[in-house]
Amino acid sequence: MKRRRRGTWIGLGVVASLAALSTTVAGQSLSDVQKVAKERGLSTADLLAAAKTYTPSGMIDEYLIFSSGGHSGQVFVIGVPSMRLLRTIAVFTPESWQGWGYGTGNEILEQGLVNGKANLWGDTHHPALSETNGDYDGQWLFINDKANARVAVIDLRDFETKQIVKNPLTLSDHGGAFVTPNTEYVIEGGQYATPLGSTFDTMDNYQENFRGSVTFWKFDRKKGRIDKERSFAMELPPYWHDIADAGKLVSDGWIFLNSLNSEMATGGIQDKKPPFEAGASRNTTDYLHIIDWRKAEQVYKAGKVEMVEGFPVITLETAIAEGLMYLTPEPRSPHGVDVAPKGDFIVVSGKLDPHVTVYNFNKIQKAIANKTFSGKDPYGIPILDFDAVVEAQVEVGLGPLHTQFGPDGYAYTSLFLDSAVARWTLGGSYGAGTPEPDWTLVTKTPVHYNVGHIGVAEGDTVAPDGKYLVSFNKWSVDRFFHPGPLLPQNFQLIDISGKGTNMPVLYDMPIGMGEPHYAQIIKADKLHPWSVYPEIGWDPVAQQMDPMAPKPRMERVERNGSTVEVYMTAVRSHFNPEHVTVKEGDHVIWRITNIERAVDATHGFALPQYNINLSLEPGETATIEFVADRAGTFPFYCSEFCSALHLEMMGYFMVEPRD
Ligand code: K7E
Ligand code: CUA
């Protein structure tokens, strides 16, 4: 870990006391530590955990967690091992600190309109960092909205959302976002089947008319945007699709997609029919979908698609005829599917099966080549014989969900019902790295409580770092003060740097602003974010200079008929101009540039009554546009405490009544 010292804080011209950054104070000794530990009832294990996680002021974390925010609709960025929240990234939900939806980001939120209607929230589940050769490259982050089947693109130069795409075929997704090893595509598997396009139908026509889908969003790295014109989807049977993962190295070119409800149950508890809960878990197996995306891309490029809702879709018929998709059974009520670092093994967890099932990619290829099928599903997709493609089944415990990998041949699986994280050994060429025999459970670390996903540092890449595992727990029960009946979730940091049964919990971090699902953990030094925008007058939406950006000494108010354009700059500690007068009914285009170059010299712009608040980071230009439909006197002010005279950083917007 590096320690950064900052000598001066320009904001107030105050020289920060270097003594405050120092951890040695004269006269202290280890006996003081013992005394405090005794007073607070801390054990030796607690002290050791503290020593491993305590991060003195100014010390920078070694890893960052990019966590889904669940139905907060956002992304959280958290340092490891300190478990300190560094920021939220506003994605699907307006967030006033960042100005998101209150003057900035509005046009991006509008891209996410659902059939023309605003849905100003999201249910984010699976963040996906961009990859180069199967390893995180620290450039982009993608995340899905399960509630409305949308995918967002976040630029890691400024940690801001740049694009939202709405899936035209479905209203729910879960098998996304996942990227292919060079971020060629961002994958979005659907979840609950509907007629494609979510048009009306009844349950009587479920098998005939309802369908699943998987969408391949083409990512254009140069533009930093998903290119809808080069994206396509594949029609799937009306099973409910769950999580997906992309193959890598030996399995590069393929994706693996889970399903549940292969029973195609239609529920109906109100008519005394078996509820979904029972109907959708009747069978002992569902289907792992094995899809050749490179071949699918060729089929799409050859035009063998049907347009549905204006979007190219490879039909089931075509997918089968072209040999794009195979199924194989997966036990019971599968949830997570995770590809091992070398791409050779695919680990599936069935929520109602105490085992993880490990498939061998080479065996899958052999079974496809030799047509080792055990039958076809009702839609005619060949089913690869289970015994021909499975490598191992490892009994790990109750309610296995998700698997991550270490650098040393260990795999880790979350156990929802056991409230534990299992460490087990891979076999094959990984086996040499562990002292224990191949394919065996090594230990289980209890967590608090009911873990969903887990994240190992870079644990889903071709080169896992290990060291830390974070257990993303759903329930916290008795871990924290109860802030009313809605309790926080609990992120528990676990030290996995040891071998065998040595896998202690180090620290808890309550999450009181959403229910995260998946999160990825990246080495902090892979990220190279800007500290200030590159030039004064930068438009973060376009990530380039805004030619209309107000510049110093060119501040003005221009009237053109009933349109008023404001060119304003912000710098400690004033806006210029400070008086803006318009007439009721005028169309106002208001541009503001923060002309600061100092790190952290952010200014806000809060305009009462008009529902506007901006966060203008150094160099940033924002443009707001509204009709001055309310006459009156509106004091606007800087909503970021930027200087000693920050309260004086204000002005008056005066709207003269129409007579
Ligand atoms: Cu298991 Cu949406 Cu990945 Cu929740 S999902 S835990
Ligand atoms: Cu600028 Cu407060």
Side-chain angles (χ1 to χ4, degrees):
M1 264 173 274
K2 275 178 289 186
R3 183 155 223 192
R4 285 184 201 163
R5 287 161 191 266
R6 218 175 263 156
T8 53
W9 181 44
I10 305 157
L12 286 174
V14 169
V15 178
S17 160
L18 283 173
L21 293 173
S22 167
T23 46
T24 36
V25 176
Q28 285 183 344
S29 73
L30 273 179
S31 65
D32 294 308
V33 177
Q34 280 166 333
K35 188 168 160 255
V36 172
K38 203 171 156 207
E39 279 166 10
R40 298 193 66 214
L42 303 179
S43 67
T44 307
D46 294 334
L47 289 182
L48 190 58
K52 287 177 180 176
T53 56
Y54 176 67
T55 306
S57 184
M59 188 183 275
I60 305 290
D61 280 303
E62 186 179 2
Y63 290 94
L64 291 186
I65 301 175
F66 285 92
S67 173
S68 59
H71 35 309
S72 74
Q74 317 293 43
V75 165
F76 308 138
V77 186
I78 297 159
V80 173
S82 74
M83 304 305 280
R84 295 177 299 197
L85 176 71
L86 298 178
R87 77 171 277 184
T88 59
I89 302 174
V91 187
F92 296 106
T93 308
E95 201 283 304
S96 46
W97 169 60
Q98 292 159 79
W100 191 248
Y102 297 96
T104 48
N106 299 48
E107 62 271 62
I108 295 167
L109 285 165
E110 265 170 36
Q111 296 168 356
L113 293 184
V114 180
N115 298 325
K117 286 210 177 201
N119 264 262
L120 294 176
W121 72 289
D123 187 7
T124 59
H125 278 231
H126 302 116
L129 288 157
S130 59
E131 295 179 11
T132 299
N133 299 325
D135 211 354
Y136 302 150
D137 57 34
Q139 294 181 355
W140 306 94
L141 180 72
F142 310 93
I143 194 153
N144 74 314
D145 163 27
K146 166 171 152 138
N148 285 292
R150 297 180 290 186
V151 173
V153 179
I154 296 161
D155 189 335
L156 293 178
R157 286 175 294 184
D158 61 357
F159 284 45
E160 293 199 352
T161 304
K162 301 301 173 192
Q163 184 185 24
I164 294 173
V165 290
K166 168 73 196 94
N167 195 307
L169 302 175
T170 176
L171 283 176
S172 72
D173 71 24
H174 202 225
F178 292 90
V179 295
T180 51
N182 284 298
T183 320
E184 297 96 336
Y185 288 97
V186 183
I187 294 153
E188 183 192 20
Q191 184 150 53
Y192 304 119
T194 61
L196 290 186
S198 303
T199 51
F200 175 77
D201 211 329
T202 69
M203 289 295 148
D204 300 332
N205 302 322
Y206 188 86
Q207 300 200 11
E208 206 180 323
N209 292 344
F210 284 51
R211 287 294 178 268
S213 66
V214 57
T215 300
F216 297 84
W217 294 109
K218 179 75 191 163
F219 185 60
D220 183 333
R221 253 185 211 264
K222 246 198 221 135
K223 295 205 177 102
R225 298 291 184 277
I226 284 170
D227 184 349
K228 286 190 214 168
E229 303 303 313
R230 291 192 289 153
S231 303
F232 65 97
M234 191 187 276
E235 179 187 16
L236 302 179
Y239 313 139
W240 295 346
H241 294 96
D242 214 30
I243 320 231
D245 199 3
K248 49 192 169 229
L249 299 176
V250 293
S251 54
D252 188 5
W254 294 74
I255 66 157
F256 308 93
L257 177 72
N258 270 342
S259 63
L260 59 158
N261 196 19
S262 60
E263 296 86 348
M264 295 186 277
T266 51
I269 197 168
Q270 74 290 339
D271 297 325
K272 308 243 164 8
K273 291 181 186 159
F276 281 114
E277 183 185 15
S281 48
R282 223 171 42 234
N283 293 353
T284 52
T285 56
D286 291 284
Y287 295 120
L288 176 66
H289 297 48
I290 301 162
I291 298 170
D292 185 338
W293 70 258
R294 281 243 165 74
K295 218 167 170 187
E297 183 185 48
Q298 292 314 314
V299 167
Y300 154 65
K301 284 182 175 164
K304 295 180 199 165
V305 290
E306 263 179 29
M307 298 305 282
V308 181
E309 305 288 324
F311 200 74
V313 178
I314 300 174
T315 62
L316 259 178
E317 220 184 343
T318 305
I320 297 164
E322 300 279 342
L324 305 182
M325 177 164 41
Y326 300 88
L327 305 175
T328 195
E330 47 180 8
R332 294 201 49 169
S333 298
H335 189 53
V337 53
D338 298 282
V339 178
K342 296 173 191 173
D344 44 1
F345 297 126
I346 299 114
V347 181
V348 168
S349 302
K351 303 186 291 277
L352 303 178
D353 182 327
H355 301 86
V356 286
T357 300
V358 182
Y359 299 82
N360 181 323
F361 183 73
N362 289 328
K363 290 183 180 177
I364 288 172
Q365 290 305 301
K366 211 174 280 171
I368 291 171
N370 297 338
K371 298 195 162 48
T372 318
F373 304 144
S374 55
K376 286 181 178 173
D377 86 331
Y379 296 88
I381 310 170
I383 301 168
L384 303 177
D385 180 64
F386 181 76
D387 294 320
V389 296
V390 165
E391 180 71 24
Q393 288 190 289
V394 183
E395 188 167 342
V396 289
L398 298 181
L401 295 186
H402 299 286
T403 297
Q404 294 265 295
F405 304 92
D408 43 15
Y410 286 132
Y412 301 86
T413 299
S414 54
L415 303 170
F416 180 83
L417 296 174
D418 271 353
S419 288
V421 175
R423 167 186 270 173
W424 52 280
T425 55
L426 295 168
S429 61
Y430 303 91
T434 57
E436 298 85 1
D438 292 358
W439 310 121
T440 51
L441 176 68
V442 176
T443 192
K444 287 195 238 182
T445 291
V447 295
H448 311 88
Y449 299 90
N450 299 88
V451 49
H453 277 271
I454 49 176
V456 167
E458 312 227 340
D460 64 358
T461 71
V462 295
D465 280 22
K467 290 177 84 163
Y468 299 107
L469 180 151
V470 179
S471 177
F472 307 115
N473 305 328
K474 300 297 185 183
W475 289 40
S476 62
V477 189
D478 57 359
R479 295 293 97 177
F480 309 109
F481 179 86
H482 286 181
L486 179 61
L487 302 195
Q489 281 60 240
N490 187 9
F491 279 12
Q492 284 190 309
L493 180 68
I494 296 175
D495 178 359
I496 57 165
S497 60
K499 296 244 178 214
T501 57
N502 179 9
M503 214 172 102
V505 171
L506 299 179
Y507 199 64
D508 285 17
M509 179 196 186
I511 301 284
M513 55 209 161
E515 193 223 89
H517 293 260
Y518 190 37
Q520 290 179 321
I521 306 175
I522 183 175
K523 193 93 192 298
D525 63 15
K526 282 188 173 173
L527 296 158
H528 306 285
W530 294 326
S531 298
V532 297
Y533 280 108
E535 290 178 67
I536 290 174
W538 193 264
D539 169 8
V541 175
Q543 285 298 43
Q544 61 188 31
M545 286 296 288
D546 179 353
M548 302 298 282
K551 292 279 168 53
R553 290 179 300 281
M554 294 169 68
E555 295 93 346
R556 63 199 185 276
V557 178
E558 272 174 15
R559 171 176 289 280
N560 207 326
S562 60
T563 298
V564 177
E565 291 190 62
V566 182
Y567 291 82
M568 174 179 269
T569 58
V571 68
R572 280 162 293 170
S573 302
H574 56 266
F575 294 106
N576 183 9
E578 288 185 328
H579 299 164
V580 175
T581 307
V582 303
K583 287 208 168 66
E584 188 182 349
D586 277 348
H587 175 201
V588 180
I589 303 171
W590 195 317
R591 305 175 211 276
I592 313 177
T593 304
N594 175 347
I595 59 173
E596 303 268 2
R597 300 314 287 152
V599 172
D600 208 6
T602 294
H603 297 290
F605 176 80
L607 181 58
Q609 177 92 53
Y610 285 93
N611 196 34
I612 282 164
N613 186 52
L614 304 179
S615 171
L616 297 157
E617 287 99 62
E620 175 171 352
T621 281
T623 303
I624 47 180
E625 226 178 306
F626 59 93
V627 175
D629 52 9
R630 249 335 152 84
T633 301
F634 308 99
F636 58 81
Y637 71 100
C638 169
S639 46
E640 186 89 12
F641 203 133
C642 56
S643 76
L645 296 178
H646 139 86
L647 294 181
E648 288 80 354
M649 188 166 177
M650 64 84 66
Y652 285 98
F653 177 51
M654 290 157 287
V655 182
E656 194 186 329
R658 219 174 245 283
D659 26 44

